[in-house]
């Protein structure tokens, strides 16, 4: 990441002074938690849209809705993952140390990020393909693909809500 991109991230996302004392409360934990919840909400909204498309295939589809959502899938997922890895994970590692459980959880999430991002690109491409040439896509297979993707994203968010967000209340 270039310095100019890093400056852009600082303007968008809550920052944290990583130099804060490890034994004191961190003022940035709550803004980071609040921003993570906003990112979760955006992803869950995306999942609802994908579920609606999956439920409506092949009859009741609106090409413009599908195209609009397909363009948002990867950026929505990627933005959340960048925030988690660059802000949230860094803060957790600094404040909670590199304990085995934390390291294992963060490593798991990073692998899921890679898989989800790859899957997001495939889903977006498949949706665009469906809109441009509906006969080239099997609607049942596309519906199955959408469900696999949004259910995985929902599980990822549920894990973070249950295990990662509570860690922020400790720091």
């Amino acid at each position: 990441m270039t310095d100019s991109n890093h400056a852009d991230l600082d303007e968008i996302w809550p920052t944290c002074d990583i130099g804060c004392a490890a034994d004191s409360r961190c003022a940035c934990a709550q803004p980071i938690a609040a921003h993570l919840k906003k990112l979760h909400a955006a992803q869950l909204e995306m999942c609802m849209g994908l579920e609606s498309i999956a439920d409506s295939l092949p009859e009741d589809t609106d090409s413009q809705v599908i195209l609009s959502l397909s363009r948002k899938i990867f950026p929505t997922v990627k933005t959340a993952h960048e925030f988690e890895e660059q802000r949230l994970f860094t803060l957790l590692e600094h404040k909670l140390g590199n304990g085995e459980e934390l390291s294992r959880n963060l490593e798991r999430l990073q692998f899921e990020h890679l898989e989800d991002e790859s899957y997001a690109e495939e889903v977006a491409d498949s949706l665009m393909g469906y809109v441009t040439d509906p006969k080239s896509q099997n609607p049942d297979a596309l519906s199955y693909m959408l469900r696999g993707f949004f259910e995985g994203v929902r599980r990822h968010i549920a894990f973070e809500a249950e295990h990662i967000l509570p860690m922020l209340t400790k720091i």
Side-chain angles (χ1 to χ4, degrees):
M1 171 175 276
T2 66
D3 289 337
S4 64
N5 285 344
H6 185 67
D8 292 342
L9 296 179
D10 287 340
E11 290 175 18
I12 296 169
W13 294 326
T15 59
C16 182
D17 178 10
I18 296 300
C20 60
D23 60 349
S24 65
R25 296 270 312 149
C26 188
C28 61
Q30 291 312 309
I32 286 177
H35 193 72
L36 182 61
K37 289 176 184 177
K38 287 179 186 176
L39 292 169
H40 284 172
Q43 291 175 90
L44 291 172
E45 182 179 335
M46 173 194 70
C47 289
M48 287 178 11
L50 292 171
E51 186 171 20
S52 176
I53 292 169
D55 290 345
S56 67
L57 289 172
E59 288 84 26
D60 297 329
T61 58
D62 182 334
S63 296
Q64 291 305 311
V65 170
I66 294 172
L67 282 175
S68 176
L69 186 56
S70 69
R71 289 184 190 111
K72 294 176 185 175
I73 295 169
F74 184 78
T76 299
V77 170
K78 184 70 173 171
T79 298
H81 294 169
E82 285 178 349
F83 174 76
E84 290 174 19
E85 292 175 9
Q86 295 173 14
R87 298 285 189 232
L88 175 64
F89 293 3
T90 302
L91 174 64
L92 292 174
E93 287 172 334
H94 174 73
K95 295 297 282 184
L96 300 177
N98 283 331
E100 185 177 325
E101 182 179 1
L102 177 63
S103 293
R104 191 174 52 249
N105 284 332
L106 297 183
E107 184 177 335
R108 168 192 171 181
L109 292 171
Q110 286 177 314
F111 281 119
E112 286 182 14
H113 290 173
L114 293 173
E115 291 172 1
D116 289 349
E117 289 168 19
S118 177
Y119 205 176
E121 288 179 315
E122 288 180 47
V123 167
D125 289 345
S126 293
L127 286 171
M128 285 190 185
Y130 181 78
V131 169
T132 58
D133 184 11
K135 292 182 185 347
S136 71
Q137 300 281 332
N138 177 331
D140 291 332
L142 181 57
S143 177
Y144 185 79
M145 175 190 242
L146 295 176
R147 291 181 196 289
F149 176 71
F150 68 70
E151 287 173 2
V153 171
R154 286 175 175 163
R155 275 192 301 274
H156 183 93
I157 291 170
F159 177 83
E160 290 177 351
E162 186 176 329
H163 296 282
I164 301 299
L165 277 171
M167 289 180 191
L168 290 172
T169 64
K170 297 177 184 177
I171 56 176

